[in-house]
Amino acid sequence: MRLDVVTIFPEYLEPLNVSLVGKARARGQLDVHVHDLRSWTYDRHNTVDDTPYGGGPGMVMKTGPWGDALDTVLADGYEAGSRAPALIVPTPSGRPFTQELAVHLSERPWLVFTPARYEGIDRRVIDEYATRMDVYEVSIGDYVLAGGEAAVLVVTEAVARLLPGVLGNAESHQDDSFAPGAMAHLLEGPVYTKPPHWRGREIPDVLVSGHHGKIARWRRDEALKRTTAHRPDLIEGADPEGFDKKDREMLSILGWEPDPAGEPYGRFWRKAPDVEE
Ligand code: 6GU
C-alpha cells in the first residue's frame, strides 16, 4: 500500500517511522511519502491560508498550494505505478472513523491524506478531486483538534495493522472489540500476566483453573460488565440474537431487560439509573 501525506508540519508525521507502521515500512509493506505543503507556495511568506469569504473567525487554507501539491503527488504516484488513489480528508465534520472504515481502507492500494490546520481547506479543492477519485472525509471523534495530523496517525495505524503480514498473529484482529461482523461487539475485559502475586493483588482463580469453558464464560461476563459501564449504547444497539442464555443472565444482573416492543424484537434496554434528589 502507498500512503501520501501533504501537511504544513511534516515533523508531526515522524511517528510513522516507529513501531508497527515503521516496521511495515522497513519491510516494504507500506510505501509512505510525506510532503511539505509549503513546497507548493511561491510567495516570500510561503502563504497557505487566507481570510474566509463571508467573514468569521480563523483562516481558510488556499486552493493554490493544495491543488498544485495534489496534482504533483498524484502524478508521481501514477508514474510509480500506483492506481486508484483514495483521498482521505481529516476533519471534525467528517464521517466517524470506525473499524469498518479501517477494514475498507486497508483494501485500497493508495491513500492520500490532506490534514488541514486553521478552519479547513477551501471546499473547491475537495469538490475538484472528488470528480477524479473516491474522497473520504473522516473524523476520529467528538472533540476538536488543532489540525488533522494526529488523525492521519490514528487512521494509518488502524489501517496498517490490518494489512496482510503486518500483525504477527493472523488471528490477532479477529477478536478486536470493534471487528465488523462480530455478533454482538463488546469491549474486552481485563487481562493479566505473570507474576501471579503483585503488591497483594492476585489473579482471578478461574484464569488458572484450566477450565477453558469457564474461562471463556468469565471473559464474556467481564466484557458485558465493561460494555455496560463504558458503552451502554453498544448493548442497546446489539441484535439480541447475539446473546445466549448465560449472556442474558449476566445482562439481567447488570440491570438490562429485553424490550418486548424493541426493534428487532427483544432488544435490551435499561431503566435510567435513579438519581439522588
Ligand atoms: Cl480528523 N480533525 C480535527 N481537526 N479535529 C478532529 C478530527 C479531525 N477528528 C476529531 N476531531
Side-chain angles (χ1 to χ4, degrees):
M1 172 182 276
R2 177 176 171 126
L3 302 181
D4 285 276
V5 186
V6 182
T7 171
I8 59 168
F9 292 121
E11 329 83 82
Y12 207 121
L13 283 301
E14 281 292 307
L16 297 179
N17 294 320
V18 299
S19 189
L20 173 125
V21 175
K23 279 175 201 149
R25 285 177 84 171
R27 289 199 212 100
Q29 292 160 325
L30 259 186
D31 178 23
V32 181
H33 302 257
V34 178
H35 314 269
D36 187 345
L37 179 67
R38 293 193 203 275
S39 309
W40 290 278
T41 57
Y42 307 101
D43 66 316
R44 228 159 37 89
H45 300 287
N46 301 119
T47 309
V48 294
D49 61 335
D50 205 338
T51 54
Y53 276 118
M59 299 291 271
V60 174
M61 297 190 93
K62 295 165 67 65
T63 53
W66 278 112
D68 291 350
L70 289 172
D71 286 351
T72 307
V73 164
L74 290 167
D76 288 357
Y78 280 118
E79 182 74 17
S82 293
R83 290 297 178 265
L87 193 65
I88 315 295
V89 182
T91 165
S93 54
R95 65 198 265 194
F97 180 64
T98 59
Q99 186 65 24
E100 185 177 351
L101 185 53
V103 169
H104 178 76
L105 295 179
S106 75
E107 290 163 358
R108 302 210 51 140
W110 183 11
L111 305 178
V112 180
F113 292 90
T114 59
R117 292 270 146 178
Y118 316 109
E119 300 302 309
I121 304 172
D122 186 306
R123 186 70 218 174
R124 292 170 295 177
V125 173
I126 291 122
D127 293 344
E128 167 70 11
Y129 290 92
T131 68
R132 299 183 220 169
M133 68 191 78
D134 294 330
V135 174
Y136 301 83
E137 294 181 78
V138 299
S139 162
I140 61 163
D142 293 338
Y143 39 78
V144 180
L145 303 171
E149 284 77 6
V152 173
L153 297 176
V154 166
V155 171
T156 300
E157 184 157 321
V159 167
R161 65 186 284 284
L162 297 174
L163 298 176
V166 168
L167 263 199
N169 177 359
E171 278 179 328
S172 296
H173 44 77
Q174 285 226 319
D175 51 15
D176 286 354
S177 285
F178 289 99
M183 49 180 199
H185 70 221
L186 301 176
L187 304 185
E188 283 175 24
V191 294
Y192 301 86
T193 187
K194 290 162 284 292
H197 311 281
W198 182 73
R199 300 190 182 177
R201 297 172 183 275
E202 315 292 312
I203 302 304
D205 286 338
V206 63
L207 295 182
V208 289
S209 69
H211 288 96
H212 299 296
K214 283 188 185 167
I215 291 170
R217 185 64 249 164
W218 180 86
R219 288 192 169 141
R220 181 86 178 161
D221 287 345
E222 292 301 311
L224 290 165
K225 288 183 205 168
R226 193 161 180 92
T227 308
T228 295
H230 291 174
R231 293 294 305 279
D233 58 301
L234 296 179
I235 307 274
E236 281 158 11
D239 180 347
E241 300 279 353
F243 296 122
D244 68 11
K245 190 148 171 286
K246 289 283 169 69
D247 290 339
R248 286 159 193 273
E249 283 171 24
M250 178 52 63
L251 286 168
S252 168
I253 290 166
L254 295 170
W256 296 97
E257 36 188 297
D259 179 358
E263 188 57 56
Y265 174 75
R267 199 170 275 274
F268 281 81
W269 73 294
R270 202 172 44 149
K271 280 207 216 70
D274 288 329
V275 177
E276 299 283 329
E277 299 274 327

